[in-house]
Amino acid sequence: MQAILSSTIWEEIHERQPIYRLLVTWTLALNHGANRLLGFPGEYPVGYHLVNVLLHTVAACLVLGFFLSWGLPILAGLSTGLLFAAHPIHTEADCVVRNRSEVLGAVFGLLFLIAHMRRRW
């Protein structure tokens, strides 16, 4: 935990400008711990990919909720959510574990937009 809070993370990926993504690093650390708790090695990739797919599913459901908050018919919201879920442009965000920041950004951005549409602060 001390290494997460005290150092820049992801330096080997971004040599020119190191970035610090605390939430992403925490989710990866929790994923590592969950893998070990389930009896797998901490680096077991299936657990990481499963969490990414679940986050992408949550984002697709939030797309549906966002369009329903606009007052659109359920068929329009459902088709938009399914298009978001199945569109091949999202494969890199779901298949590459380090791109979890994109999925988390979509989830939290959609949560903000839904809350804004409902006027809940």
Side-chain angles (χ1 to χ4, degrees):
M1 179 165 63
Q2 186 66 17
I4 293 173
L5 295 174
S6 65
S7 65
T8 56
I9 310 293
W10 308 56
E11 291 176 356
E12 67 277 357
I13 299 168
H14 301 280
E15 296 89 16
R16 298 173 73 193
Q17 183 177 4
I19 57 175
Y20 184 72
R21 295 186 175 163
L22 185 62
L23 180 63
V24 175
T25 306
W26 275 106
T27 62
L28 293 173
L30 287 173
N31 218 160
H32 186 274
N35 282 348
R36 295 188 67 194
L37 187 66
L38 293 172
F40 299 110
E43 297 82 18
Y44 189 61
V46 174
Y48 293 96
H49 291 295
L50 181 64
V51 171
N52 279 3
V53 168
L54 290 174
L55 284 171
H56 184 72
T57 304
V58 168
C61 292
L62 288 172
V63 167
L64 168 66
F66 175 66
F67 281 100
L68 291 180
S69 70
W70 275 5
L72 293 175
I74 192 160
L75 187 59
L78 186 62
S79 61
T80 307
L82 288 173
L83 180 65
F84 179 86
H87 201 280
I89 200 168
H90 300 293
T91 55
E92 184 179 340
D94 292 336
C95 293
V96 181
V97 173
R98 71 175 184 210
N99 288 344
R100 187 173 288 179
S101 59
E102 296 175 18
V103 178
L104 287 172
V107 167
F108 286 114
L110 287 164
L111 281 172
F112 168 78
L113 289 173
I114 291 169
H116 180 71
M117 292 296 290
R118 295 181 179 171
R119 306 288 192 259
R120 291 184 186 164
W121 296 98

